[in-house]
Each structure stands twice: as C-alpha cells, then as structure tokens.
Amino acid sequence: MSGNHLLEIKNLKIDVRVTKKRRLSIVDTASLIIEPGQIIGLIGESGSGKTMLCRSLVGTLGRRGAYIASGQLKFDGIDLISAKQSVWNEIRGKRIGYVPQSALAGPNPVMTIGAQLAEAILQDENFPKADLEKRSLELLNIVQIRRPETVLKQYQHELSGGMKQRVMIACAIAQQPQLIVADEPTTGLDVTVQAEIMELLKQIRKDFNTSIILVSHDLPLINEICDDTVVMHAGTTVEKIPSKSIKASKHPYTLALYNSRIDLVVPKGQLKTINGQPPSVGSWPEGCRFSERCDFVKDKCRVKQDLPLITIGTSHETSCLRYDEIAR
Amino acid sequence: MLKNQIARTILGRLGRALSVGFWVMVISFAIMRIIPGDPASARLGGVEAEAIAQLRKQLNLDGSIFQQFSRYVTDLLHGNLGISLQTGRTVIDIIGSTLPLTIYLILFSTFFAVILSIPIGTSIAWSGKAPIVYTFRGITAVILATPNFFIAMVGILIFTVRVNWSPVFGYEPEFPQNLKYLWLPVVVNTLIMTSVVSRVIFSSVIETKEEEFVETGIIRGVGRRRFFWFYILKPSMAPTVVLLSYMMGTMLGATVILETIFTLPGIGREMVNAVLTSDYPVVQGILLIFGVITVFLSFVGDVIAYLLDRRVKI
Ligand SMILES: Nc1ncnc2c1ncn2[C@@H]1O[C@H](COP(=O)(O)OP(=O)(O)OP(=O)(O)O)[C@@H](O)[C@H]1O
Ligand code: SF4
Ligand SMILES: [Mg+2]
C-alpha cells in the first residue's frame, strides 16, 4: 500500500561530514508518512533535526555538508535519495513548495518582489507571459498582502517580517504544489500575524488539497491546525499522534512538552520544564535517546537498540518501550 | 514613491560628493601655502626682491589669504589653472596632453581585470575545492607581493627584449596607434588588478553563497543561468564595484611607476616631475584634477553599487 502515500520517510539517517574522516549523525531513525491533503505538525526542541529532515525533501542537505546515509525517502513514489538534477527540476518549486525557516531572510535582496514571484510563476514553462502580472497580484491577494501593486516593485528590505513571510508563502504556492514544507513560518512574528498565517495555510489546504508539513516549537499552535503531530527528539521521531488526542500521548517526551506548555500554567503554579538539556549531536545515549531525561526510565531503555515507531492505535505510533505503562 | 527614494538617495550622495569636491579644491589651494618656506624664494634662490615679488604675484601668493582664495576660485571658474614655471605652458594644456594616456591605461586594465576576475572569482568560490582555492590564493598573493616595477620589467624582458612585440619607448597619442605602446603596460596593470579584484569577488561570492536566499533560489528551482546572475553574481557585485572605483582613483597616481618604466608621458610622471622641479602650479593643478576624478569615481561607484543592491548604504 505504500505507493499511495504522498510522502514516505522511513528510518532516515542523515550524517554530516565534520572532518575528512569524521561523520556525525544528526538525524537517525526518523519516520514520517503524509497523505494528500494532510497537515502534519513537526515539533521538537531546537537542534532535534527538524530543519535537516525538511531539507532532505528538497535535496539541499549538501549545502551544509550533510547527506542521507541510509533509509527511505519517497515523494509520490519517486525515490528522492537517488534523485538526479532532472528529477529535482520537476519537484523543486513545482511539486514541493518550501518556506524556509529564516524566511525573514529568505527573499533575494537584489531582486524586486515582483521578479521573484515571476520566477516562481514561470517555473511552469507554458505559462503565458501576458498573464504574469495578473497571476502575481492574485498570489499576493491569496496571502492577503495589502497594496500588492506597490509590493511588486519593492525590495525585501522595504517589507515587514510578516510581509516577507507571506511573500515566501506566495512563491511557494505559485505552482500549487502537492506538498508545502513550512519551517517555522511564524517564529518571530507577533501573535495576530501568526494566527493570520495559520489561517492562510489552512485555507490553502482547503482550496488546493495541499499537504503541509508545519514545523514549530509551538505546541498549541500545532494542535490547533494540524491533523497529526509528529514529535522529534535528538534526531529521531519519537511519536506520531492525532493532534486532538495529544493528551493521550504514549511518550514521556511528548507529555513533557505538553506539560511545559505556558498556557497550562495556573496562576500560582509553576511552569514545568523538561528535565535537563536535549542530548547534543554526537553524544546521544544508547538505546532511548530520552533516557537521561525520562521519569519513566528503566534499565531496558538503556540497552543499545534502535527504537522505531510502533503503531499502537489509529494514526498513533510511539517509540517508547514502556508506552503501555505510562499515563499522564 | 519608489523612484523618489532612489532619486533622493542619489541626490544626497551627490551633495556629499560636491562638498568633498569643495574641500579638494581648498586643499589643492592650501598645499602651496602650507609647505614650509616661501615657494617663490625657494625656487628663485637668492635673487633680488623684485623678481621674487614678481613670482609671488604670478603664483597668486600676494595679498591676504582670502584675496588669494577668491582669485584662485575665479581663475578656476575661467578654466585657468596657472602656468608652468618650468615650461611656460598652461597647466590645463599639460593636463590635457598627459591625462588621456593615463586614463586609457586605467580604463583598459580595469575593463580586462573585470572581464577576467568575474569568471575566475565566482567559479573558484562556487567550486570551493580546497586545492583550487589554495592555488588561487597562492598565485594572487605572489603577484600582489611582487613590486609592480618588477613585474613590469619581466614583461619588458620578455616582450621587448626577447620577442620585440612592444616598442622600447616613445608614444603616439592617437587612438589606434597608441595601443602599440600601451598594450604591455595594460597587461601588467591588468595582471595586478585582477589579483585584487578576483580576490574581492571570490570572498564576496563565498559570503553570498552561504546566505539563506541562495538556498531559496535552489529550492524554488531557479534555472542555472538565472541562478548564477541573480543569486550569485549580482548580490556579490556591490563590494567589487566600490573597490574598483576606489582603485581607479588611486591608480591615477600609482601608474607613475608603469609610466616611468615604459617611458610613457602620462600624468603620473608629469606629477612626479613637477614635484621634483618645484613646479608649483602644475603640482597644484594635477592634485586638483586627481582629487576631482577620485571624488567623481567614488560617487559613480557608490551609485552603481546602490542600484545593484539596495542594501548598500551610500
Ligand atoms: N553542518 C553541520 N555540521 C554539524 N552539525 C550540524 C550541521 N548542520 C546542522 N547541524 C546540527 O544538526 C542538528 C539539527 O539541526 P536542525 O537545524 O535540523 O535543528 P532544528 O530542529 O531545525 O532546530 P531549530 O528548532 O533550532 O530550528 C543541530 O544540533 C545542529 O547543530
Ligand atoms: S523508552 Fe524508556 S527512557 Fe525512553 S521514553 Fe520510554 S520510558 Fe523513557
Ligand atoms: Mg530548524
């Protein structure tokens, strides 16, 4: 049945060349499946490998000296690991749209916004040039940019953070891709703008049946708009769970994330934090990489082994060895 | 609204150029007056007071400093830069006959240096392969560390002495004929300039290629050619343009070494001669011209850099 998934990542391992000889794993045993029209939230502490996982989808790991060491990565049946330039030419900007993490620095500083939109639109070689302006304005309208005619002639430094973000989204959706990867599209923006951009992503999914991967640190936000939430910790996916049942998580890390939500803090109560620091790349503990921070840890968790996701319910997978013994 | 902002920025920069131009004029005026001793008596030695007074008058050194300055400015506005003490020719005439050669020399070598530096700098930066980068750094460092006159002499040894492709000395100012005399100095100067300019482009591209928007271009699936022009070259060009305009200005004086070795009657040599013979009006006039050209070039350079990349503050 695997042929039907839009995106299928299985036991992906991403290594980075530190020196000529030394290799370091920054993602290991990550798995993720997305169906058409699904919004998946990807959450985890800083450094857990979210951005690297996303980059593997557009083949730009090499820029950071990283590469896929093993595992499977299929987009609509196409093997992306062995993809050649010609395959990427068909995928980048056309079938996968990408809103980079630092979208605030994303637009090209030496091109007008109009030129960049045109670039995105003309990825379709058959697009009639005469309709370029119309389509550009249409895209800017979709992302709710005011005074789109002016913005077309402006440079990125003349735009606010929220506008840049919207421009990046407009470029990403120009070809109505099957998948949009939005890497923290609202970090650094104020709350109202955040909410608007989330609404926008939802609307795009509704209108075009686009699948979306939404990376965020913000659990409430993800809960609100994503169908499923995938939790990453130390380079691996530790749980996949329907967002609405996040409270019924069967992974201590997810629960810890949930309990450290600021919006749960009652006035006199204390903000619960997650024990310790995330283990840093290169010094992950053997066995469960959460073991050093976990309240439920037992000896068997520390035994050297891979911890793949195990299906324990509808759309619910966890990697915790003691999942049936934990409760909130 | 946008056009306005561009115009405003450029006009602001022009205003600054003009005010610097004014100070250049003041300095060229002041230079003869702040050197120790009295230029007139220094030049004439121990002759009678009358002759000295005469020369002081000719040099515009009589009367109060304000009278001197207002005469200087009035003369300037009439295109009068004074008369050479050595030859009796007008300074304007001297500049007019020596400046074109130097400008040819600078323009040609700048042109070729840019043509060469862009592909060299960008391709080496983009490939990023350590052996190539080291070789590039090594070669350019050696060229830069070698004195100009030495490179020029090696050039003469090869092309004049060995194969006789270039005349030993002489010059014809008319356009196509002058190339016969100019090509070797241009080659030498191009070589030196290319070492600097390609290094600047190299490091600028290295910086650019790490930027987030470059990745955006890749992810958007931008075609190769477009990608090269708009995501690599254009964002890297501003520092190069600024450097070039600065280099061209300083080269006005620096080409004196090449002009001397190749016995070319350029303005750099004229300047040195004038200093050696205490020909004050010529020194003063050439300084002014150098200053004005330098200010103009840096204005043009800044404006081009700004038009290429609006992030540039000018
Ligand atoms: N070139 C590299 N060399 C070594 N380590 C790297 C390299 N690039 C990334 N890493 C490491 O890989 C890990 C994963 O990075 P990634 O950017 O994917 O994290 P993230 O989950 O997106 O974090 P954030 O929430 O801060 O964006 C980090 O610990 C980072 O330090
Ligand atoms: S496997 Fe063990 S250490 Fe890891 S999360 Fe589950 S209980 Fe904690
Ligand atoms: Mg990230």
Side-chain angles (χ1 to χ4, degrees):
Chain A
M1 281 302 282
S2 70
N4 292 349
H5 307 307
L6 179 65
L7 181 73
E8 187 180 3
I9 302 176
K10 210 164 146 191
N11 293 333
L12 199 72
K13 182 164 183 272
I14 299 175
D15 285 2
V16 52
R17 291 179 198 89
V18 188
T19 60
K20 257 208 164 87
K21 291 228 180 75
R22 224 160 81 82
R23 302 284 188 271
L24 215 57
S25 291
I26 49 184
V27 170
D28 196 351
T29 345
S31 303
L32 177 61
I33 285 174
I34 298 187
E35 310 297 347
Q38 212 179 14
I39 302 188
I40 294 272
L42 192 58
I43 195 165
E45 283 157 295
S46 188
S48 55
K50 307 179 295 291
T51 297
M52 281 299 178
L53 190 63
C54 292
R55 283 207 171 108
S56 68
L57 305 179
V58 282
T60 57
L61 289 174
R63 263 175 69 78
R64 313 285 147 132
Y67 61 96
I68 295 174
S70 64
Q72 284 177 29
L73 177 55
K74 280 196 177 142
F75 173 72
D76 209 7
I78 306 166
D79 177 17
L80 292 186
I81 296 179
S82 61
K84 299 224 168 37
Q85 187 63 37
S86 57
V87 175
W88 284 123
N89 287 346
E90 289 313 305
I91 290 179
R92 289 177 181 155
K94 292 183 180 149
R95 301 178 62 183
I96 299 183
Y98 197 104
V99 183
Q101 173 159 14
S102 36
L104 299 185
N108 186 326
V110 300
M111 289 166 76
T112 59
I113 301 304
Q116 298 178 61
L117 270 173
E119 204 170 66
I121 295 167
L122 295 176
Q123 283 299 305
D124 171 12
E125 290 93 2
N126 301 321
F127 189 88
K129 287 237 168 69
D131 298 345
L132 196 55
E133 169 127 5
K134 192 170 139 254
R135 174 73 174 140
S136 303
L137 293 175
E138 184 179 278
L139 285 170
L140 290 185
N141 276 324
I142 293 179
V143 295
Q144 293 160 18
I145 280 188
R146 283 173 286 274
R147 297 181 298 109
E149 293 86 358
T150 318
V151 171
L152 281 183
K153 296 190 204 98
Q154 280 179 313
Y155 286 86
Q156 58 111 26
H157 70 269
E158 297 168 282
L159 306 185
S160 68
M163 282 166 90
K164 284 185 208 177
Q165 207 70 268
R166 287 164 206 255
V167 167
M168 294 309 284
I169 295 175
C171 288
I173 62 174
Q175 301 297 331
Q176 300 185 2
Q178 292 157 284
L179 174 66
I180 292 177
V181 181
D183 194 352
E184 304 195 27
T186 57
T187 307
L189 301 181
D190 67 53
V191 185
T192 41
V193 182
Q194 250 183 37
E196 281 172 34
I197 288 181
M198 288 306 143
E199 263 322 299
L200 188 71
L201 288 173
K202 269 203 256 183
Q203 193 62 39
I204 289 166
R205 186 260 294 263
K206 203 168 142 220
D207 294 348
F208 308 116
N209 196 35
T210 313
S211 304
I212 297 174
I213 298 181
L214 176 67
V215 179
S216 180
H217 286 264
D218 191 343
L219 194 60
L221 184 98
I222 286 210
N223 270 343
E224 197 188 307
I225 93 156
C226 298
D227 307 316
D228 289 352
T229 298
V230 172
V231 182
M232 276 191 90
H233 178 262
T236 183
T237 43
V238 293
E239 186 168 27
K240 176 184 181 184
I241 183 168
S243 300
K244 57 180 187 304
S245 48
I246 192 97
K247 282 186 214 161
S249 160
K250 291 289 178 197
H251 197 290
Y253 180 58
T254 313
L255 288 172
L257 278 180
Y258 183 78
N259 289 333
S260 65
R261 285 171 57 168
I262 294 180
D263 59 328
L264 282 184
V265 181
V266 284
K268 269 193 214 136
Q270 260 207 323
L271 177 63
K272 275 182 130 183
T273 51
I274 307 171
N275 304 334
Q277 292 291 313
S280 54
V281 164
S283 51
W284 290 335
E286 294 196 326
C288 176
R289 285 171 219 154
F290 190 58
S291 56
E292 280 166 11
R293 314 168 75 190
C294 181
D295 293 334
F296 300 85
V297 61
K298 280 267 153 63
D299 285 347
K300 67 172 176 180
C301 307
R302 296 202 173 98
V303 177
K304 186 175 177 180
Q305 60 190 310
D306 279 342
L307 278 79
L309 291 171
I310 317 158
T311 306
I312 55 170
T314 336
S315 288
H316 192 180
E317 300 165 34
T318 180
S319 71
C320 177
L321 295 170
R322 305 189 59 214
Y323 69 87
D324 48 358
E325 298 164 65
I326 51 177
R328 197 157 76 96
Chain B
M1 170 215 126
L2 227 53
K3 284 268 179 315
N4 262 341
Q5 164 150 29
I6 297 173
R8 229 178 318 134
T9 309
I10 295 179
L11 276 179
R13 182 64 184 77
L14 181 65
R16 261 177 43 222
L18 290 178
S19 76
V20 176
F22 173 79
W23 286 108
V24 163
M25 188 175 74
V26 170
I27 288 169
S28 81
F29 166 80
I31 214 101
M32 198 179 350
R33 288 152 184 91
I34 55 176
I35 47 174
D38 171 36
S41 39
R43 189 173 163 84
L44 291 180
V47 290
E48 65 273 34
E50 226 170 279
I52 291 180
Q54 174 70 30
L55 183 59
R56 288 184 63 86
K57 189 156 195 263
Q58 190 190 331
L59 287 176
N60 184 19
L61 290 173
D62 57 336
S64 79
I65 197 86
F66 298 105
Q67 285 169 332
Q68 291 178 29
F69 188 68
S70 82
R71 271 200 300 268
Y72 178 72
V73 175
T74 323
D75 280 353
L76 261 187
L77 293 178
H78 289 93
N80 178 5
L81 288 179
I83 290 168
S84 163
L85 300 176
Q86 207 68 19
T87 60
R89 290 167 71 200
T90 63
V91 174
I92 283 285
D93 191 31
I94 291 174
I95 291 174
S97 65
T98 53
L99 183 61
L101 182 149
T102 306
I103 290 193
Y104 272 123
L105 188 59
I106 294 175
L107 282 185
F108 279 129
S109 30
T110 305
F111 175 76
F112 291 120
V114 170
I115 297 279
L116 288 171
S117 297
I118 289 179
I120 294 176
T122 47
S123 59
I124 292 175
W126 189 251
S127 92
K129 295 219 169 64
I132 304 178
V133 172
Y134 286 135
T135 315
F136 167 73
R137 286 225 175 99
I139 292 176
T140 50
V142 167
I143 295 175
L144 290 177
T146 313
N148 297 2
F149 70 85
F150 186 78
I151 299 177
M153 276 172 4
V154 172
I156 291 180
L157 260 176
I158 297 172
F159 294 104
T160 308
V161 180
R162 282 273 162 109
V163 292
N164 197 21
W165 285 357
S166 168
V168 183
F169 65 97
Y171 186 66
E172 296 169 61
E174 287 71 36
F175 168 58
Q177 291 93 302
N178 65 358
L179 296 183
K180 195 164 70 187
Y181 305 89
L182 277 179
W183 76 265
L184 189 51
V186 165
V187 167
V188 171
N189 207 25
T190 301
L191 187 69
I192 297 162
M193 277 189 84
T194 305
S195 313
V196 183
V197 178
S198 63
R199 273 179 162 234
V200 172
I201 295 183
F202 169 83
S203 48
S204 190
V205 169
I206 291 276
E207 225 168 84
T208 301
K209 82 177 197 181
E210 293 305 319
E211 294 219 46
E212 197 68 35
F213 70 83
V214 173
E215 185 150 1
T216 306
I218 299 173
I219 291 168
R220 190 175 293 153
V222 174
R224 281 182 87 91
R225 192 174 293 203
R226 250 196 105 70
F227 182 76
F228 174 74
W229 281 110
F230 289 100
Y231 286 79
I232 298 302
L233 198 55
K234 201 176 170 200
S236 311
M237 274 321 274
T240 315
V241 172
V242 171
L243 171 89
L244 273 175
S245 64
Y246 167 78
M247 268 183 98
M248 288 168 80
T250 56
M251 258 176 359
L252 280 169
T255 49
V256 62
I257 295 170
L258 291 179
E259 289 170 9
T260 308
I261 292 180
F262 290 95
T263 62
L264 295 170
I267 201 165
R269 238 177 83 192
E270 191 62 44
M271 173 77 173
V272 172
N273 282 340
V275 169
L276 291 178
T277 56
S278 308
D279 197 343
Y280 299 104
V282 178
V283 174
Q284 180 174 274
I286 293 180
L287 271 184
L288 179 70
I289 275 295
F290 279 9
V292 169
I293 294 179
T294 307
V295 170
F296 173 74
L297 283 173
S298 84
F299 167 71
V300 173
D302 278 4
V303 169
I304 294 178
Y306 170 70
L307 291 179
L308 280 173
D309 187 343
R310 297 299 155 74
R311 291 172 300 177
V312 174
K313 296 269 175 296
I314 63 172

